[in-house]
Amino acid sequence: MTHKIPLNHPRASSLIIREKLIDGFNRGIVVPQGLIAHGRGEAFDYLLGEKTTKYAYNAEKVAVCILLLSDKSTISINGNTAALGAKDLVKLSYVTKSRIEVNLFHRSVARSNAIARILRKEGSHEVLGVHTKAKSIIYGISSNRKFVDKEGIMDSDTVLVALEDGDRTESLVSMGKKVISVDLNPLSRTAIASNVTIIDNIMRAIPNMIRLSEQLVKKQKSYLQSLIKNFDNKENIRNSLLIIKKGI
Ligand code: ATP
């Protein structure tokens, strides 16, 4: 890490996250725009009390149910998510039997490969999205996020995205995929368009989801289906907004 943060500092966890991103930036994984995007998320996290709300936890539970019941699921990884939680994202991919795909807005071969190397180092046997031969296109998107792996996102019924832009979320939903998003901003287009919106910091959401997967994988399929059926994403977003309002 660039600077050592004293653990008794009142804002230690927030400062540690910043240091992880700066470290990722120095290693060529995070782009400057990613640092700015983090700032937007951080502001919402501040208003949410920097903890997982009961509504976020419920969304995490339902998201895990969907991942466990999916035929094919893929976790989409970008620079910020790799810098913040590569190890946990790889673990989540194992416990939910999901594939992992690198997908970048500010795409370059060097950056994609650097992120793939980190994911492999953390134990991922197969990282999709880095082989040009497997490239497939989502039409209607102008950014580089339109390039997806035909064995990964393109072929999946469920996609987990985090720190995502709204265009691609909307396209993935219109393609009939179930989209689970982790986004601290309940008002973003991604949050609104997703089937399940986890309004939580990715640093807390993914470890929670790993623990939930380990518990829920032992449950009956009908139990998981009932949790999904009883979930209302719009209600979940509204409740998170009420927490923010109360916080203010
Ligand atoms: P949209 O296009 O969906 O309206 P946007 O333009 O705000 O959203 P981006 O800037 O592409 O989207 O993505 C960043 C999003 O990620 C922001 O909504 C921000 O709140 C969220 N975010 C940033 N850091 C984190 C984090 N650590 N955990 C969860 N979400 C985060």
Side-chain angles (χ1 to χ4, degrees), residues 18 37 93 102 224 242:
R18 286 186 186 178
S93 79
V102 178
L224 308 190
L242 286 176

Side-chain angles (χ1 to χ4, degrees), residues 107-124:
R107 189 189 178 100
S108 77
V109 174
R111 205 170 148 239
S112 298
N113 287 337
I115 293 170
R117 267 198 302 279
I118 291 176
L119 295 167
R120 286 192 202 101
K121 195 169 153 246
E122 295 299 352
S124 183

Side-chain angles (χ1 to χ4, degrees), residues 105-241:
F105 190 94
H106 302 281
R107 189 189 178 100
S108 77
V109 174
R111 205 170 148 239
S112 298
N113 287 337
I115 293 170
R117 267 198 302 279
I118 291 176
L119 295 167
R120 286 192 202 101
K121 195 169 153 246
E122 295 299 352
S124 183
H125 293 310
E126 192 185 22
V127 180
L128 302 173
V130 281
H131 305 294
T132 41
K133 274 193 204 140
K135 210 190 289 181
S136 175
I137 291 180
I138 301 177
Y139 289 97
I141 303 181
S142 47
S143 80
N144 277 333
R145 283 207 152 161
K146 68 182 168 203
F147 298 115
V148 292
D149 198 303
K150 56 183 178 208
E151 301 295 326
I153 289 172
M154 194 52 118
D155 188 38
S156 292
D157 51 358
T158 303
V159 185
L160 170 67
V161 299
L163 287 75
E164 177 76 23
D165 61 296
D167 293 8
R168 198 169 70 125
T169 308
E170 286 163 5
S171 296
L172 291 171
V173 171
S174 71
M175 287 162 78
K177 299 181 190 302
K178 287 196 191 73
V179 178
I180 298 163
S181 65
V182 183
D183 191 333
L184 279 160
N185 177 5
L187 300 170
S188 74
R189 288 175 306 151
T190 295
I192 305 291
S194 300
N195 301 95
V196 177
T197 308
I198 298 169
I199 302 164
D200 199 3
N201 198 312
I202 188 159
M203 298 288 291
R204 299 187 297 266
I206 305 300
N208 285 346
M209 289 172 76
I210 294 168
R211 280 192 297 276
L212 283 163
S213 301
E214 287 163 350
Q215 294 159 14
L216 290 166
V217 78
K218 298 177 194 145
K219 302 275 183 196
Q220 297 269 349
K221 201 172 158 181
S222 57
Y223 175 73
L224 308 190
Q225 282 164 337
S226 71
L227 291 182
I228 298 170
K229 197 164 161 263
N230 291 324
F231 179 75
D232 179 341
N233 201 45
K234 292 276 177 281
E235 183 73 14
N236 162 56
I237 293 173
R238 263 195 300 274
N239 284 328
S240 299
L241 281 167

Side-chain angles (χ1 to χ4, degrees), residues 14-116:
S14 167
L15 296 179
I16 290 168
I17 296 177
R18 286 186 186 178
E19 288 299 321
K20 276 181 186 278
L21 285 168
I22 292 166
D23 191 43
F25 174 74
N26 290 336
R27 288 190 291 154
I29 297 159
V30 173
V31 287
Q33 292 86 343
L35 300 178
I36 298 169
H38 177 74
R40 174 141 61 207
E42 211 182 47
F44 281 100
D45 208 12
Y46 196 94
L47 297 174
L48 283 162
E50 292 174 337
K51 57 178 191 292
T52 302
T53 67
K54 64 176 178 182
Y55 305 110
Y57 192 74
N58 191 37
E60 285 157 11
K61 198 186 243 183
V62 170
V64 165
C65 292
I66 294 177
L67 286 170
L68 292 174
L69 294 180
S70 293
D71 287 331
K72 283 185 174 173
S73 53
T74 298
I75 301 175
S76 181
I77 308 275
N78 63 22
N80 282 43
T81 57
L84 291 178
K87 191 179 187 148
D88 284 335
L89 287 158
V90 170
K91 189 153 186 210
L92 183 67
S93 79
Y94 278 112
V95 290
T96 60
K97 296 192 172 56
S98 302
R99 288 156 301 177
I100 266 199
E101 175 168 342
V102 178
N103 184 274
L104 306 176
F105 190 94
H106 302 281
R107 189 189 178 100
S108 77
V109 174
R111 205 170 148 239
S112 298
N113 287 337
I115 293 170

